[in-house]
Amino acid sequence: MSKYKLQFCCYALGILMFSTACSSSETNDQEMEKEHKIVVYQVFTRLFGNTNTTNKPWGTIEENGVGKFNDFTGKALQEIRDLGVTHIWYTGVPHHAVIRDYTAYGISNDDPDVVKGRAGSPYAVKDYYQVNPDLAVDPAKRMEEFETLINRTHQHGMKVIIDIVPNHVARKYEGLNNPSGVRDFGADDDTSLEYHRENNFYYIPGQAFKVPAALDGYKPLGGENHPLADGKFDENPAKWTGNGSRDPQPHFYDWYETVKVNYGVKPDGSKDFPELPEGFDKKDYKAHFEFWKDKEVPSSWKKFRDIALFWIEKGVDGFRYDMAEMVPVEFWSYMNSAIKMKNPEAFLLAEIYNPKAYRDYIHLGKMDYLYDKVELYDTLKNIIQGKGSTDNISPIQAGLADIGKHMLHFLENHDEQRIASPEFAGKAEKAKPAAVISATIDQGPMMMYFGQEVGEPGAEDAGFGKPSRTSIFDYIGVPHHQRWVNEGKFDGGQLSEEEKGLRDFYKRLLNLIGKSPAMGGAYQEIHSHNRQHTDWYNDKVFSFVRWTDGQRLVVVSNFDADNTFGFDLEVPAELILAWNLVDGRYALEEKLYGKANATLHVSEGKGSIRVDLMPLESWILELSL
């Protein structure tokens, strides 16, 4: 679709929405009470409630502490809800490989040679039908403790998301809690073959696995003596490694702690399963479910479908799928349609980094949401760091116009550098304008990572995990976040005034988008127009409008950390027409902080707003109708 056609459609939509607007104040009040935006709060579950501040590299649980399911008290959950959150993504829940002796509970010990860190990666799942024993006060009752947390989260008005990692499992997968009739991954494989459709793994016949050669002086557990840390791991024949390496001795930077799951893709890349007929991108999940009902599919498909449905039955409301594009899109059609048949409202989020595949994973794979990482996130990061221009934002949104509501926006997650780290921005406040844009630019969800709202810099050397990212591999405390936890009071009692101010900003922003009907409505950028026609407007500023029945918003942000910019922001004639405004003056209320109220002047069908933006300031202006 051309840019002109896209703009025309937006304007026509605005006129249509205005002409059909309900005049009933009661209806508008009801609209303001609705949740108009999904806000996901990612918590690294084992770190969230930990109040231990020792932070010894490679420290044990006894030395560095660990958070538990029970740390998510009613008070903690209510504070998260009050932040504006609708969904909590509890990261690291399924039982993954961990270097701790739980043999008293029937769990085998894991080998430090094929585990990253002491606490282990949450993306090397060892048993999909159980939860991480580290997270329970009583490991024997760990599932019951998580079920109680699911219920507690629901009681506080939020939905529960957990990870599913279909591309790979832990090198030592061991399902001790399988439901009746469920066989372990690989239990029935013919290991004499590199590939068979019904095998769960790929093999390297005749060759045994070798532990990667360490680099940069690395030693498991930092060199601590451990009976299993001997540079060996018994796996014969060797399996392909999680990232696709076919070498029996993967590289140190490969995902050597995991093995790749076989979805019926032959080693030459050809597909050994039915493909969706042409036109199925237009069909709903029910049609997809019906298509697969009588089809023979690979064993791994059935295993992961059953895993997902197991957790849906437990009350989990959705999943974040790790590295979804490494798994064929037909599998996602099969699994996601089965999930939606059980829970049509299930939240299905894919980690995906290939924009060319976005529409396939949405329309064919039946994903609800995709990471908007390589386009909006990367662009905003460059602007925050002073390397990029706001002129790059408009083409991204234009290119995603047909799928914008499916794109999840974020500025932090467990894979990315903390904003406040020196390697990213060095100061959390520098991301404020980017947060406003991420949260308001389209209908897609907004995600926050725990500690982001108080400026956590991720400065700790935890062991395997290094600074700039909060470690996902080791037991560690999260200092700025711990000041908000305040020894379990969850009241921010130890926060500095600067940290309190940052949290207040996010709380205002996230609650505002949740209560703003315009977040579910139309979008039009006015940045390009003002770049061409407005004096002093520059590429450190970005502006756009959002609107729907009963609400018109103008959003303008200044990314410059040092300079104030003043200009007469123009609202193009097409928008004045779409909003059905006549010549005159219209009051604008600033909704974020309420301090910078302004006026829209309409003359001869064109609008202008006097804007004076302080460094890193954003205005979200609502037109009084």
Side-chain angles (χ1 to χ4, degrees):
M1 181 181 288
S2 71
K3 181 177 178 182
Y4 174 80
K5 288 181 179 178
L6 177 64
Q7 290 176 334
F8 178 82
C9 288
C10 289
Y11 303 148
L13 177 61
I15 294 169
L16 176 62
M17 288 191 294
F18 190 90
S19 66
T20 58
C22 179
S23 60
S24 164
S25 61
E26 180 180 347
T27 301
N28 286 338
D29 288 344
Q30 290 172 350
E31 277 291 292
M32 294 302 287
E33 289 302 313
K34 280 184 182 178
E35 210 78 65
H36 296 282
K37 191 87 164 181
I38 289 175
V39 176
V40 178
Y41 189 73
Q42 182 192 4
V43 291
F44 207 86
T45 313
R46 71 165 172 253
L47 302 182
F48 178 85
N50 182 23
T51 57
N52 186 307
T53 60
T54 302
N55 285 354
K56 174 185 174 182
W58 296 100
T60 64
I61 279 182
E62 291 75 19
E63 292 168 323
N64 282 1
V66 70
K68 306 286 186 182
F69 292 133
N70 286 1
D71 291 327
F72 292 89
T73 63
K75 168 67 171 172
L77 291 169
Q78 192 56 52
E79 287 294 326
I80 294 170
R81 180 69 181 117
D82 290 346
L83 193 62
V85 171
T86 61
H87 295 61
I88 300 185
W89 166 16
Y90 290 109
T91 304
V93 167
H95 183 186
H96 58 78
V98 55
I99 306 303
R100 193 159 196 256
D101 191 338
Y102 284 110
T103 53
Y105 302 94
I107 302 168
S108 65
N109 285 324
D110 289 304
D111 189 330
D113 291 307
V114 289
V115 175
K116 291 180 178 176
R118 184 184 293 275
S121 166
Y123 299 105
V125 175
K126 177 175 179 171
D127 184 351
Y128 259 114
Y129 289 101
Q130 190 50 277
V131 299
N132 181 0
D134 278 351
L135 303 177
V137 174
D138 180 356
K141 297 180 179 179
R142 56 196 184 276
M143 183 63 82
E144 292 92 329
E145 290 187 29
F146 181 58
E147 291 170 341
T148 300
L149 176 57
I150 293 173
N151 292 333
R152 197 159 60 245
T153 305
H154 289 163
Q155 289 166 6
H156 284 84
M158 293 175 289
K159 295 187 176 182
V160 172
I161 302 166
I162 64 170
D163 288 282
I164 288 183
V165 189
N167 179 66
H168 48 273
V169 296
R171 202 112 222 164
K172 184 182 181 182
Y173 189 91
E174 193 173 64
L176 301 179
N177 306 277
N178 296 347
S180 176
V182 172
R183 299 275 290 165
D184 254 5
F185 284 98
D188 302 313
D189 283 5
D190 182 347
T191 62
S192 69
L193 300 173
E194 180 182 24
Y195 167 84
H196 188 281
R197 196 182 84 151
E198 297 309 306
N199 280 357
N200 298 133
F201 303 124
Y202 299 91
Y203 295 90
I204 310 171
Q207 298 191 65
F209 173 80
K210 295 181 181 179
V211 173
L215 297 178
D216 303 320
Y218 171 79
K219 295 180 181 179
L221 306 181
E224 174 187 313
N225 288 330
H226 188 283
L228 295 178
D230 57 2
K232 300 175 183 177
F233 180 75
D234 185 17
E235 180 184 291
N236 194 3
K239 302 179 181 77
W240 287 15
T241 293
N243 62 323
S245 170
R246 306 182 189 189
D247 193 328
Q249 184 178 28
H251 191 275
F252 183 70
Y253 292 131
D254 286 331
W255 303 348
Y256 64 81
E257 78 278 25
T258 67
V259 291
K260 185 168 180 64
V261 175
N262 167 25
Y263 282 88
V265 178
K266 297 178 182 179
D268 65 5
S270 61
K271 296 177 179 180
D272 199 2
F273 48 78
E275 295 191 55
L276 291 165
E278 189 173 346
F280 256 66
D281 58 329
K282 306 293 193 300
K283 295 185 181 292
D284 65 12
Y285 69 84
K286 294 177 183 177
H288 282 244
F289 180 78
E290 288 298 320
F291 173 80
W292 293 110
K293 278 175 69 172
D294 62 350
K295 303 296 187 297
E296 283 297 318
V297 298
S299 166
S300 298
W301 291 32
K302 301 171 190 175
K303 287 184 182 298
F304 269 102
R305 175 204 60 191
D306 293 345
I307 287 165
L309 295 181
F310 170 85
W311 289 107
I312 290 290
E313 289 294 325
K314 291 285 184 187
V316 168
D317 301 291
F319 306 104
R320 179 268 190 186
Y321 296 129
D322 186 79
M323 295 307 295
E325 66 197 286
M326 295 182 76
V327 177
V329 72
E330 291 86 355
F331 162 74
W332 294 116
S333 163
Y334 171 82
M335 182 157 97
N336 287 342
S337 63
I339 293 170
K340 291 288 189 178
M341 292 298 290
K342 290 288 186 182
N343 178 7
E345 302 302 316
F347 178 101
L348 305 177
L349 167 65
E351 178 192 23
I352 182 167
Y353 300 120
N354 178 12
K356 293 181 180 178
Y358 284 174
R359 287 158 185 83
D360 281 348
Y361 280 80
I362 293 167
H363 300 310
L364 292 175
K366 295 304 163 193
M367 295 295 181
D368 293 318
Y369 306 107
L370 311 178
Y371 271 33
D372 192 359
K373 195 275 182 188
V374 300
E375 294 194 306
L376 189 63
Y377 168 85
D378 283 350
T379 297
L380 291 175
K381 182 174 182 178
N382 282 335
I383 298 168
I384 293 167
Q385 293 179 324
K387 302 174 185 175
S389 164
T390 56
D391 293 342
N392 295 323
I393 298 173
S394 296
I396 289 172
Q397 291 307 114
L400 296 173
D402 61 316
I403 58 170
K405 66 182 180 181
H406 297 285
M407 304 309 294
L408 174 132
H409 306 301
F410 58 85
L411 293 174
E412 285 192 358
N413 64 45
H414 68 278
D415 285 319
E416 305 300 339
Q417 293 173 325
R418 290 286 194 175
I419 297 163
S421 69
E423 294 82 355
F424 188 158
K427 189 173 177 63
E429 286 72 16
K430 287 187 177 181
K432 282 183 173 182
V436 169
I437 290 170
S438 297
T440 61
I441 200 165
D442 58 27
Q443 298 178 34
M446 176 67 174
M447 186 169 76
M448 297 280 295
Y449 189 36
F450 86 111
Q452 176 184 341
E453 70 275 27
V454 292
E456 177 59 45
E460 287 63 49
D461 180 357
F464 193 91
K466 298 303 178 186
S468 85
R469 294 169 177 84
T470 296
S471 175
I472 67 169
F473 303 108
D474 286 288
Y475 304 111
I476 201 71
V478 186
H480 289 230
H481 170 72
Q482 287 176 321
R483 295 202 279 273
W484 173 76
V485 171
N486 192 22
E487 301 298 331
K489 298 184 182 71
F490 301 102
D491 61 2
Q494 298 179 33
L495 293 175
S496 68
E497 290 304 310
E498 186 177 31
E499 292 160 355
K500 289 178 182 177
L502 185 65
R503 192 173 193 279
D504 176 66
F505 162 78
Y506 279 111
K507 187 173 184 178
R508 288 171 181 269
L509 175 62
L510 300 179
N511 278 279
L512 173 59
I513 62 175
K515 293 172 179 147
S516 296
M519 292 300 105
Y523 159 84
Q524 176 61 42
E525 60 97 353
I526 57 174
H527 173 81
S528 301
H529 177 92
N530 280 278
R531 284 283 279 148
Q532 294 175 19
H533 300 289
T534 303
D535 290 338
W536 305 108
Y537 188 97
N538 57 69
D539 74 343
K540 298 297 184 184
V541 176
F542 191 73
S543 57
F544 56 93
V545 296
R546 299 295 310 279
W547 78 94
T548 191
D549 294 0
Q551 190 176 47
R552 313 281 187 264
L553 297 178
V554 179
V555 182
V556 56
S557 295
N558 175 14
F559 280 85
D560 198 294
D562 302 307
N563 296 301
T564 296
F565 297 124
F567 44 81
D568 293 319
L569 184 73
E570 291 194 12
V571 180
E574 304 96 307
L575 277 170
I576 298 300
L577 178 63
W579 290 358
N580 204 26
L581 301 180
V582 299
D583 286 4
R585 296 162 60 90
Y586 297 85
L588 296 166
E589 180 184 359
E590 203 288 305
K591 302 297 290 184
L592 197 53
Y593 285 99
K595 295 179 180 178
N597 295 333
T599 301
L600 170 63
H601 297 268
V602 178
S603 177
E604 297 181 356
K606 298 178 182 179
S608 68
I609 305 166
R610 179 62 194 179
V611 171
D612 291 283
L613 287 174
M614 300 288 286
L616 303 176
E617 186 176 24
S618 294
W619 288 0
I620 302 177
L621 300 168
E622 181 176 14
L623 176 67
S624 298
L625 295 175

